Amino acid sequence: MATGRNHRPATTRSRGIPEATVARLPLYLRALTALSERSVPTVSSEELAAAAGVNSAKLRKDFSYLGSYGTRGVGYDVEYLVYQISRELGLTQDWPVVIVGIGNLGAALANYGGFASRGFRVAALIDADPSLTGRSVAGIDVKHTDQLEQIVDESGVSIGVIATPAGSAQQVCDRLVAAGITSILNFAPTVLSVPEGVDVRKVDLSIELQILAFHEQRKAGEEAPEEETAPPAVPPAAAVSKRPEPGSDGDRPAVMPA
Amino acid sequence: MATGRNHRPATTRSRGIPEATVARLPLYLRALTALSERSVPTVSSEELAAAAGVNSAKLRKDFSYLGSYGTRGVGYDVEYLVYQISRELGLTQDWPVVIVGIGNLGAALANYGGFASRGFRVAALIDADPSLTGRSVAGIDVKHTDQLEQIVDESGVSIGVIATPAGSAQQVCDRLVAAGITSILNFAPTVLSVPEGVDVRKVDLSIELQILAFHEQRKAGEEAPEEETAPPAVPPAAAVSKRPEPGSDGDRPAVMPA
DNA sequence: GAATGTGAAAAGATTCACAGCA
DNA sequence: TGCTGTGAATCTTTTCACATTC
């Protein structure tokens, strides 16, 4: 099942910069942008780290992968660092983005103010529902799925956002990839199979909540120690079947679909 | 700046289960639920791993932290594993959730189908805009922020979702925490300060896109090797100031706010 | 024979702690 | 003196490979 072709190499250390560091650069950038707007000229690793919510040693190590952009005894020049990180992230160029699936979430994304700044531009909105076609969301006309290939081709987008129901996600993904898209942000709660060379990042609300629930449960358990520690006794034979409701779903979209 | 009080201990290995493993459990659960619905009785680590998009060694190691729920030579009993993982994640109980900030995103979340299953229940919607108060979103009445404390108290929620603009996020967070909430899912693009014992997870669309852009840029660079490798020459003095538009924003909400 | 469970090795990420520079 | 930049130590996560069990 599942053509299991993704699996990010993990060891991708894209050009020497560790993935973990890349994932934090946007965080630093955000903090720096805020400082920049307040016209703060320089910032120390300690201050910036606090603003970004990491510790200073980590931040300095992260920056060391980019080069030596600080000044000992002084700190970092805010504007300079904003530029360097932006450049490293590729934000000095324009990134047209196409959003597929204009349901509640898709519409929310289309309206997302943070898109415009940072170099991302919503080039097109696409949905399979004909009744949406022609409508305008966030000032952008919604196009029908039929035109997907044409749109991707003409607008030269390389990043696609999938906000469709889980059931359509792989299909949409395949078409986006076939049309030439090489980066996908997936909001549908499903594992996407993509050929080598295509990047997929996923955002799944349900998963985040489940992780929170895990920790929350633990907290509760600490207060009132031992309560449900009854070790699972039933062996894989007449499999336990607690928590029924199998009729729920299990393959639902990240958010109300198109 | 920022009362920097969060910073998850990282070494949290909550009760022996590594964080990395906890983060994958929901993924396994989703794959297993799908199998369960197709009435597949057992599954091998290889198959399940493919369905979840990880490799089988990792999956087996992950499961080994939960206990020995498989059968050598056979695989895992789907129903049994669904139950065990659900229990481990705390999904066998009901988790009332409150969503604060009913803008585009908040509404999308309220409508999220995946909430209901998995044990999460939207107990209340809260917004600061009086014109929204009383309206019904996803069949739930929107309450005014004034009632936040009362609502949290009465409905006994322990998980709060913040979907407000960045500017209000910390304030809302403080009130939620003061009201007794100990787990927060933050969609606002800002670092939240919370006291010890409160868990925060963040989802930031803009960050995901920036990470994609980083890799996308790299790909482009590989095709046409060397092009903008001109090493940053300007030293932190008359700081470079490329990519103007400083008038954009930089502290915007994850998605159009309330 | 087939597939789990797990020690041990390898790879990555974080933190320490301090030399070195402004 | 103050703060960066970075080797070295530590901790975490992933992967390997195989003994063990059904």
Side-chain angles (χ1 to χ4, degrees):
Chain A
M1 61 194 59
T3 329
R5 289 171 276 158
N6 40 357
H7 303 248
R8 178 183 306 228
T11 318
T12 297
R13 267 233 178 181
S14 305
R15 187 289 214 78
I17 302 180
E19 265 304 304
T21 294
V22 171
R24 279 187 297 267
L25 291 181
L27 229 54
Y28 301 143
L29 185 55
R30 188 163 75 197
L32 284 165
T33 305
L35 291 172
S36 169
E37 274 163 14
R38 287 170 35 212
S39 301
V40 176
T42 61
V43 66
S44 70
S45 63
E46 202 72 55
E47 293 165 328
L48 183 53
V54 304
N55 82 39
S56 64
K58 196 188 295 190
L59 177 145
R60 287 201 303 279
K61 180 66 98 181
D62 282 342
F63 285 179
S64 80
Y65 292 116
L66 309 185
S68 291
Y69 296 150
T71 306
R72 290 165 202 246
V74 178
Y76 301 91
D77 180 280
V78 173
E79 294 302 327
Y80 187 60
L81 203 44
V82 162
Y83 169 66
Q84 289 300 344
I85 295 180
S86 294
R87 195 177 52 88
E88 196 65 55
L89 285 171
L91 304 181
T92 48
Q93 66 183 275
D94 185 64
W95 292 105
V97 167
V98 59
I99 300 175
V100 185
I102 314 304
N104 269 299
L105 176 61
L109 298 178
N111 278 297
Y112 180 32
F115 254 144
S117 45
R118 299 271 178 283
F120 299 102
R121 178 172 53 81
V122 180
L125 302 179
I126 298 177
D127 199 285
D129 182 353
S131 74
L132 272 177
T133 305
R135 291 239 188 129
S136 169
V137 171
I140 303 166
D141 280 354
V142 177
K143 296 292 191 343
H144 189 267
T145 313
D146 291 344
Q147 302 174 64
L148 189 149
E149 288 75 10
Q150 185 199 336
I151 292 168
V152 170
D153 191 55
E154 288 176 2
S155 54
V157 303
S158 49
I159 299 179
V161 176
I162 298 180
T164 66
S168 335
Q170 182 63 60
Q171 187 187 328
V172 165
C173 172
D174 290 343
R175 290 181 63 181
L176 286 173
V177 170
I181 276 184
T182 47
S183 286
I184 291 175
L185 183 52
N186 179 33
F187 283 86
T190 191
V191 176
L192 294 179
S193 292
V194 295
E196 180 91 0
V198 175
D199 261 313
V200 176
R201 291 195 67 86
K202 61 172 186 304
V203 174
D204 190 325
L205 164 68
S206 170
I207 285 181
E208 298 302 322
L209 278 178
Q210 288 173 59
I211 296 172
L212 279 178
F214 173 86
H215 293 294
E216 191 62 31
Q217 177 190 39
R218 185 154 317 292
K219 288 177 204 162
E222 272 160 23
E223 286 167 23
E226 304 309 302
E227 185 196 332
E228 189 202 21
T229 317
V234 186
V240 187
S241 196
K242 275 201 174 184
R243 188 146 191 282
E245 282 106 321
S248 36
D249 57 58
D251 212 27
R252 79 212 71 57
V255 161
M256 218 48 243
Chain B
M1 59 195 60
T3 331
R5 289 171 276 159
N6 44 352
H7 304 248
R8 177 185 302 229
T11 318
T12 297
R13 266 232 179 182
S14 306
R15 186 290 212 78
I17 301 180
E19 265 304 303
T21 294
V22 171
R24 279 187 297 265
L25 291 181
L27 229 53
Y28 301 143
L29 185 56
R30 188 164 78 197
L32 284 164
T33 306
L35 291 173
S36 170
E37 274 163 14
R38 290 172 32 214
S39 301
V40 176
T42 62
V43 66
S44 70
S45 63
E46 202 72 54
E47 293 165 328
L48 183 54
V54 304
N55 81 41
S56 63
K58 197 187 295 188
L59 177 145
R60 287 200 303 280
K61 180 65 100 180
D62 283 342
F63 285 178
S64 79
Y65 292 115
L66 309 186
S68 292
Y69 296 149
T71 307
R72 291 167 201 243
V74 178
Y76 300 91
D77 181 280
V78 173
E79 294 302 327
Y80 186 60
L81 203 45
V82 163
Y83 169 66
Q84 289 301 344
I85 295 180
S86 294
R87 194 178 53 88
E88 196 64 56
L89 284 171
L91 304 181
T92 49
Q93 66 182 275
D94 186 64
W95 291 106
V97 168
V98 59
I99 300 175
V100 185
I102 313 303
N104 269 297
L105 177 61
L109 298 179
N111 278 297
Y112 180 31
F115 254 144
S117 43
R118 299 269 177 285
F120 299 102
R121 178 172 54 80
V122 180
L125 302 179
I126 298 178
D127 199 285
D129 181 354
S131 72
L132 272 178
T133 306
R135 292 243 187 125
S136 169
V137 172
I140 303 165
D141 280 355
V142 178
K143 296 291 191 346
H144 190 266
T145 313
D146 290 344
Q147 302 174 63
L148 189 149
E149 287 76 9
Q150 185 199 337
I151 292 170
V152 170
D153 191 55
E154 289 177 1
S155 54
V157 302
S158 49
I159 297 179
V161 176
I162 298 180
T164 67
S168 335
Q170 182 64 59
Q171 186 187 328
V172 165
C173 173
D174 290 343
R175 289 181 63 183
L176 287 174
V177 169
I181 275 184
T182 47
S183 286
I184 290 175
L185 183 53
N186 179 32
F187 283 86
T190 191
V191 175
L192 294 179
S193 292
V194 295
E196 181 90 359
V198 175
D199 261 313
V200 176
R201 291 194 67 85
K202 63 171 184 303
V203 174
D204 190 325
L205 163 68
S206 171
I207 285 180
E208 298 302 324
L209 277 178
Q210 289 173 58
I211 296 172
L212 280 178
F214 173 85
H215 293 293
E216 191 62 32
Q217 178 189 40
R218 186 155 318 291
K219 288 178 204 162
E222 273 161 24
E223 286 167 24
E226 304 309 303
E227 184 195 332
E228 189 202 21
T229 316
V234 186
V240 187
S241 195
K242 274 202 175 183
R243 185 145 191 283
E245 282 103 323
S248 33
D249 57 57
D251 212 28
R252 79 212 70 57
V255 162
M256 218 47 241

